Amino acid sequence: MQPTTKSKSESGPSDAALVVAARAGEKWAQEALFRRHVRMVNGLAFRLLGRDQEVDDLVQDSVLAAFRGLDRLAEPQAFSGWLASIVVRTAHKMLRRRRMLTRLGLRKASSIDLDQVVSAASSPSARAELHQLYRCLDTLDPGARIALVLQRVEGMSIPEIASHMELSASTVKRRLKLAEARLAEHAAAREGTP
């Protein structure tokens, strides 16, 4: 029997009710959670990685980890934020692995297809900033990259970033400072200024 509790923004059972049912082994509840949040997970994964070929793996790994760890979710109503945190941590692992394989010569570095990442509906200034940001991303440490994307692209605050990355706010600030410095260097080199 499906719960009838409605969430404020969705029709059907709330996330909390779906989590409780999924914990009880109800496959329909897992499917409902997946359908409700897959778009958010896919978008976040794409913006963090910037490449289609790895996004599907990140989405699958993150959703699988979430369903396997549902018993560890202390607040079932916070499923969406908890799932986003899993995506962020899994993306960090993938970026670290990608960077190591590239350094060892076991993986060819490839650039981000900016036209797929940046919406044609974006304002010219937003498009320019996003183009600059994504060009610089591959030069960043994975932790600094993720912090910068979460702040600049996702619009998250430092406490939100710290929560998703499971870091202190001061560590997030250091990573953002590093990323901002690299971004400024990249912009200065692009403009030909010292």
Side-chain angles (χ1 to χ4, degrees):
M1 180 174 193
Q2 294 184 8
T4 58
T5 306
K6 306 282 184 197
S7 67
K8 292 178 184 173
S9 62
E10 302 280 340
S11 62
S14 67
D15 280 355
L18 290 172
V19 167
V20 169
R23 284 177 176 165
E26 298 288 343
K27 295 294 180 196
W28 65 265
Q30 285 185 354
E31 183 178 340
L33 283 167
F34 175 80
R35 288 181 186 276
R36 185 174 289 173
H37 297 286
V38 70
R39 200 172 166 147
M40 176 275 297
V41 170
N42 196 54
L44 180 59
F46 188 77
R47 289 183 295 276
L48 289 170
L49 295 182
R51 290 182 180 80
D52 270 329
Q53 67 257 26
E54 295 172 324
V55 169
D56 289 341
D57 291 339
L58 176 54
V59 170
Q60 290 173 11
D61 291 349
S62 299
V63 171
L64 185 60
F67 288 142
R68 285 183 176 160
L70 274 179
D71 290 335
R72 292 189 307 268
L73 177 58
E75 299 175 23
Q77 69 276 11
F79 179 80
S80 181
W82 180 71
L83 179 57
S85 294
I86 292 171
V87 173
V88 168
R89 289 190 306 276
T90 306
H92 186 260
K93 290 175 191 172
M94 290 179 84
L95 289 168
R96 287 180 59 204
R97 183 173 49 243
R98 179 196 297 175
R99 189 173 186 168
M100 181 184 66
L101 291 173
T102 301
R103 284 184 176 170
L104 294 174
L106 300 173
R107 182 184 178 280
K108 184 179 176 182
S110 59
S111 60
I112 294 171
D113 183 357
L114 296 173
D115 291 328
Q116 287 186 357
V117 175
V118 181
S119 168
S122 299
S123 70
S125 62
R127 283 184 65 80
E129 182 178 1
L130 288 172
H131 277 280
Q132 181 183 357
L133 174 65
Y134 277 101
R135 280 192 189 106
C136 182
L137 283 179
D138 278 335
T139 66
L140 294 175
D141 166 80
R145 173 190 177 129
I146 288 173
L148 188 64
V149 170
L150 293 178
Q151 182 186 53
R152 289 271 187 108
V153 180
E154 297 298 316
M156 291 185 187
S157 66
I158 289 174
E160 289 171 317
I161 297 167
S163 174
H164 283 308
M165 294 183 75
E166 293 186 337
L167 299 170
S168 69
S170 60
T171 300
V172 169
K173 288 177 186 177
R174 281 193 303 275
R175 289 184 179 185
L176 285 170
K177 186 175 179 179
L178 170 71
E180 294 289 347
R182 183 65 59 89
L183 193 59
E185 289 170 10
H186 183 76
R190 212 174 101 229
E191 295 172 6
T193 59

